[in-house]
Amino acid sequence: MNLELEKINGYSVLTVQDERIDAHNSGELKEYLLQMIEGGESRIIVRLGNVRFIDSSGLGALLSGNKGVIAKSGKLALTNIQKQVLSMFELTRLNRVFEIYADLDEAFNNEV
Amino acid sequence: MCPSFIQVDVVVPTQTKYLDLIGSIGERVAKELDSYTGDRAALAYQLNLVLTEATVNAIKHGCCDNDPQNCVKVTIQLQDDDLNIKVYDHGQGFDLEKVPLPDFEHPGESGMGLYLIRSVMDSVTYTKMKEHNVLEIIKHLK
């Protein structure tokens, strides 16, 4: 999986470069997030703007990261989610679990 | 003009690297449905999703062993206004009726696949047969 990690305004911003998150690569995303959290990252924003498809395992990987960061009293937010991908969060009601913002600026303004 | 009959049969090894291929075929089929009056982009996503989830299910739960020669067979058939997807596996099978709904209050990291399939399609059945099992998924397009 192609992931890019940047530090912006004190946040760890992880951009998923792949168009697709499914059972073939979601394990990598989950591991990467958990390693970030183990490494002390506590304010994480995952940018999903490039992602045009996510399956249940991809949702599970993000959920795993969310649980991991909450356990360490941190926060994880998602931004730039495409319409069809967002519908998966709505269908599984995970839009009530994650903090979801239109873009990085909105996430920063809400002090994730 | 909408074609009245399309059938696509695909056989791939039981490896997750082929999920993209299988899902893409679903998106491509959706693009052929010229007379579909609903949200075509949503339908394309749904077919991609359903084929991906069903194939993962067959790979994870449908294989008797780790033999790399194992394959998943998928058929997609459009006849009149019904889209029929069948995913065949050769494993122990499972009881579809005993698959629980996800716990929305305390969501788990797995167990959402069949729920997603059922949510976006009209009929889902799983039949155990002598030689194989079949997950059959139907979407009424009108």
Side-chain angles (χ1 to χ4, degrees):
Chain A
M1 169 160 270
N2 195 357
L3 301 166
E4 184 180 293
L5 182 61
E6 298 165 279
K7 275 280 185 187
I8 305 175
N9 289 355
Y11 293 84
S12 302
V13 178
L14 184 67
T15 303
V16 179
Q17 303 283 11
D18 296 57
E19 287 190 357
R20 186 177 165 96
I21 308 176
D22 65 18
H24 186 58
N25 58 8
S26 58
E28 285 179 59
L29 175 61
K30 177 177 172 176
E31 274 307 306
Y32 195 92
L33 283 168
L34 293 181
Q35 281 181 17
M36 283 174 66
I37 295 160
E38 283 301 311
E41 309 284 1
S42 60
R43 294 203 298 178
I44 298 172
I45 299 174
V46 182
R47 266 204 297 202
L48 294 169
N50 298 318
V51 178
R52 53 179 290 273
F53 180 87
I54 191 166
D55 74 353
S56 62
S57 73
L59 296 172
L62 294 170
L63 194 55
S64 167
N66 194 50
K67 284 181 178 176
V69 83
I70 287 172
K72 301 258 183 182
S73 303
K75 277 189 172 185
L76 182 147
L78 308 176
T79 70
N80 303 83
I81 305 182
Q82 294 191 25
K83 181 185 166 189
Q84 302 295 346
V85 172
L86 184 62
S87 73
M88 291 298 101
F89 286 87
E90 292 165 351
L91 204 53
T92 53
R93 303 181 204 174
L94 291 178
N95 55 327
R96 301 189 308 198
V97 173
F98 288 101
E99 290 193 34
I100 295 175
Y101 299 103
D103 51 32
L104 281 185
D105 285 343
E106 190 180 292
F108 294 152
N109 290 338
N110 283 278
E111 296 184 356
V112 171
Chain B
M1 182 180 167
C2 181
S4 59
F5 184 83
I6 294 175
Q7 177 154 340
V8 182
D9 295 356
V10 189
V11 179
V12 293
T14 52
Q15 296 170 26
T16 53
K17 68 177 180 180
Y18 295 105
L19 294 174
D20 189 3
L21 171 66
I22 296 279
S24 300
I25 293 169
E27 290 204 353
R28 190 68 187 80
V29 167
K31 286 179 184 167
E32 293 295 325
L33 307 176
D34 292 338
S35 66
Y36 180 66
T37 55
D39 183 339
R40 191 102 61 93
L43 179 66
Y45 192 100
Q46 289 168 2
L47 296 186
N48 190 341
L49 177 74
V50 163
L51 286 162
T52 298
E53 297 288 355
T55 303
V56 169
N57 194 60
I59 291 172
K60 283 189 176 168
H61 305 294
C63 298
C64 299
D65 51 44
N66 292 321
D67 184 351
Q69 298 304 311
N70 273 337
C71 290
V72 180
K73 180 183 171 189
V74 179
T75 69
I76 306 167
Q77 190 182 78
L78 172 72
Q79 188 153 24
D80 300 322
D81 297 319
D82 282 342
L83 192 64
N84 182 305
I85 294 169
K86 289 182 181 148
V87 180
Y88 299 79
D89 72 72
H90 298 87
Q92 299 280 323
F94 62 94
D95 187 342
L96 186 62
E97 298 312 313
K98 289 186 179 166
V99 177
L101 277 173
D103 181 345
F104 295 113
E105 295 306 314
H106 306 93
E109 292 165 31
S110 61
M112 287 183 284
L114 281 166
Y115 164 75
L116 287 175
I117 294 174
R118 284 175 142 160
S119 297
V120 300
M121 303 301 270
D122 295 309
S123 162
V124 183
T125 56
Y126 187 77
T127 309
K128 293 183 193 179
M129 299 164 86
K130 260 189 181 176
E131 294 185 346
H132 53 241
N133 310 306
V134 188
L135 183 69
E136 183 173 12
I137 303 158
I138 297 171
K139 177 92 171 172
H140 305 305
L141 299 176
K142 278 190 179 170

Short mmCIF file of all heavy atoms in Angstrom, two decimals, chain B residues 91-112:
data_model
loop_
_atom_site.label_atom_id
_atom_site.label_comp_id
_atom_site.label_asym_id
_atom_site.label_seq_id
_atom_site.Cartn_x
_atom_site.Cartn_y
_atom_site.Cartn_z
N GLY B 91 -15.54 -25.02 0.08
CA GLY B 91 -15.21 -25.23 1.50
C GLY B 91 -16.32 -25.90 2.28
O GLY B 91 -17.23 -26.52 1.72
N GLN B 92 -16.22 -25.75 3.60
CA GLN B 92 -17.21 -26.36 4.50
C GLN B 92 -18.56 -25.67 4.39
O GLN B 92 -19.58 -26.24 4.73
CB GLN B 92 -16.72 -26.24 5.95
CG GLN B 92 -15.40 -26.94 6.23
CD GLN B 92 -15.60 -28.43 6.43
OE1 GLN B 92 -16.60 -28.86 7.01
NE2 GLN B 92 -14.66 -29.22 5.94
N GLY B 93 -18.55 -24.44 3.96
CA GLY B 93 -19.80 -23.69 3.88
C GLY B 93 -20.20 -23.12 5.22
O GLY B 93 -19.52 -23.34 6.24
N PHE B 94 -21.27 -22.38 5.25
CA PHE B 94 -21.76 -21.76 6.50
C PHE B 94 -23.26 -21.57 6.38
O PHE B 94 -23.84 -21.71 5.31
CB PHE B 94 -21.03 -20.43 6.75
CG PHE B 94 -21.28 -19.40 5.68
CD1 PHE B 94 -22.29 -18.45 5.81
CD2 PHE B 94 -20.50 -19.37 4.53
CE1 PHE B 94 -22.52 -17.50 4.83
CE2 PHE B 94 -20.73 -18.43 3.54
CZ PHE B 94 -21.74 -17.50 3.69
N ASP B 95 -23.87 -21.23 7.51
CA ASP B 95 -25.31 -21.01 7.53
C ASP B 95 -25.56 -19.50 7.48
O ASP B 95 -25.30 -18.79 8.45
CB ASP B 95 -25.91 -21.62 8.80
CG ASP B 95 -27.43 -21.56 8.78
OD1 ASP B 95 -28.00 -20.78 7.98
OD2 ASP B 95 -28.06 -22.31 9.55
N LEU B 96 -26.04 -19.05 6.34
CA LEU B 96 -26.23 -17.61 6.14
C LEU B 96 -27.17 -17.00 7.18
O LEU B 96 -26.97 -15.88 7.64
CB LEU B 96 -26.80 -17.38 4.73
CG LEU B 96 -26.94 -15.94 4.24
CD1 LEU B 96 -25.58 -15.25 4.16
CD2 LEU B 96 -27.62 -15.90 2.88
N GLU B 97 -28.16 -17.79 7.56
CA GLU B 97 -29.15 -17.27 8.52
C GLU B 97 -28.56 -17.07 9.91
O GLU B 97 -29.12 -16.36 10.74
CB GLU B 97 -30.36 -18.22 8.60
CG GLU B 97 -31.11 -18.36 7.28
CD GLU B 97 -31.41 -17.03 6.62
OE1 GLU B 97 -31.90 -16.13 7.32
OE2 GLU B 97 -31.13 -16.88 5.42
N LYS B 98 -27.44 -17.72 10.17
CA LYS B 98 -26.82 -17.60 11.51
C LYS B 98 -25.76 -16.51 11.56
O LYS B 98 -25.13 -16.31 12.60
CB LYS B 98 -26.22 -18.94 11.93
CG LYS B 98 -27.31 -19.97 12.26
CD LYS B 98 -26.73 -21.24 12.82
CE LYS B 98 -27.87 -22.21 13.15
NZ LYS B 98 -27.40 -23.56 13.38
N VAL B 99 -25.55 -15.84 10.42
CA VAL B 99 -24.57 -14.74 10.43
C VAL B 99 -25.23 -13.53 11.09
O VAL B 99 -26.25 -13.03 10.61
CB VAL B 99 -24.14 -14.38 8.99
CG1 VAL B 99 -23.18 -13.19 9.00
CG2 VAL B 99 -23.47 -15.58 8.33
N PRO B 100 -24.69 -13.07 12.23
CA PRO B 100 -25.36 -11.98 12.96
C PRO B 100 -25.18 -10.63 12.29
O PRO B 100 -24.23 -10.43 11.52
CB PRO B 100 -24.67 -12.00 14.32
CG PRO B 100 -23.30 -12.54 14.04
CD PRO B 100 -23.45 -13.50 12.89
N LEU B 101 -26.08 -9.73 12.59
CA LEU B 101 -25.91 -8.34 12.17
C LEU B 101 -24.71 -7.75 12.91
O LEU B 101 -24.42 -8.15 14.03
CB LEU B 101 -27.16 -7.52 12.54
CG LEU B 101 -28.35 -7.57 11.60
CD1 LEU B 101 -29.52 -6.83 12.25
CD2 LEU B 101 -28.01 -6.94 10.26
N PRO B 102 -24.05 -6.76 12.32
CA PRO B 102 -22.98 -6.09 13.06
C PRO B 102 -23.54 -5.41 14.30
O PRO B 102 -24.70 -5.01 14.32
CB PRO B 102 -22.45 -5.05 12.06
CG PRO B 102 -22.95 -5.45 10.73
CD PRO B 102 -24.22 -6.21 10.96
N ASP B 103 -22.70 -5.28 15.32
CA ASP B 103 -23.08 -4.54 16.52
C ASP B 103 -22.76 -3.07 16.26
O ASP B 103 -21.61 -2.64 16.34
CB ASP B 103 -22.27 -5.06 17.72
CG ASP B 103 -22.65 -4.35 19.02
OD1 ASP B 103 -23.31 -3.29 18.94
OD2 ASP B 103 -22.28 -4.86 20.08
N PHE B 104 -23.79 -2.30 15.91
CA PHE B 104 -23.55 -0.91 15.51
C PHE B 104 -23.12 -0.03 16.68
O PHE B 104 -22.46 1.00 16.49
CB PHE B 104 -24.81 -0.33 14.86
CG PHE B 104 -25.17 -1.00 13.57
CD1 PHE B 104 -26.32 -1.75 13.46
CD2 PHE B 104 -24.33 -0.90 12.47
CE1 PHE B 104 -26.65 -2.39 12.27
CE2 PHE B 104 -24.65 -1.53 11.27
CZ PHE B 104 -25.80 -2.27 11.18
N GLU B 105 -23.48 -0.43 17.88
CA GLU B 105 -23.09 0.38 19.05
C GLU B 105 -21.63 0.13 19.42
O GLU B 105 -20.94 1.02 19.91
CB GLU B 105 -23.99 0.06 20.25
CG GLU B 105 -25.45 0.45 20.03
CD GLU B 105 -25.60 1.92 19.62
OE1 GLU B 105 -24.98 2.79 20.25
OE2 GLU B 105 -26.33 2.19 18.64
N HIS B 106 -21.19 -1.10 19.21
CA HIS B 106 -19.80 -1.46 19.50
C HIS B 106 -19.22 -2.15 18.28
O HIS B 106 -19.02 -3.38 18.29
CB HIS B 106 -19.71 -2.36 20.74
CG HIS B 106 -20.38 -1.79 21.94
ND1 HIS B 106 -21.70 -2.07 22.26
CD2 HIS B 106 -19.94 -0.92 22.88
CE1 HIS B 106 -22.02 -1.41 23.36
NE2 HIS B 106 -20.97 -0.70 23.76
N PRO B 107 -19.00 -1.40 17.22
CA PRO B 107 -18.60 -2.04 15.95
C PRO B 107 -17.28 -2.79 16.04
O PRO B 107 -16.33 -2.32 16.67
CB PRO B 107 -18.51 -0.85 14.98
CG PRO B 107 -18.36 0.35 15.84
CD PRO B 107 -19.03 0.06 17.12
N GLY B 108 -17.27 -3.96 15.43
CA GLY B 108 -16.05 -4.77 15.39
C GLY B 108 -15.30 -4.52 14.09
O GLY B 108 -15.83 -3.91 13.16
N GLU B 109 -14.06 -5.01 14.07
CA GLU B 109 -13.23 -4.76 12.89
C GLU B 109 -13.56 -5.71 11.74
O GLU B 109 -13.08 -5.53 10.63
CB GLU B 109 -11.76 -4.89 13.27
CG GLU B 109 -11.31 -3.79 14.20
CD GLU B 109 -9.99 -4.11 14.86
OE1 GLU B 109 -9.16 -4.79 14.24
OE2 GLU B 109 -9.79 -3.67 16.01
N SER B 110 -14.35 -6.72 12.01
CA SER B 110 -14.72 -7.66 10.94
C SER B 110 -16.19 -8.02 11.10
O SER B 110 -16.85 -7.59 12.05
CB SER B 110 -13.84 -8.90 10.99
OG SER B 110 -14.02 -9.55 12.23
N GLY B 111 -16.70 -8.78 10.15
CA GLY B 111 -18.09 -9.24 10.24
C GLY B 111 -19.09 -8.31 9.58
O GLY B 111 -20.29 -8.42 9.83
N MET B 112 -18.60 -7.40 8.73
CA MET B 112 -19.52 -6.46 8.07
C MET B 112 -19.79 -6.83 6.61
O MET B 112 -20.65 -6.25 5.97
CB MET B 112 -18.96 -5.04 8.13
CG MET B 112 -19.05 -4.42 9.50
SD MET B 112 -18.48 -2.71 9.53
CE MET B 112 -16.70 -2.91 9.46
#
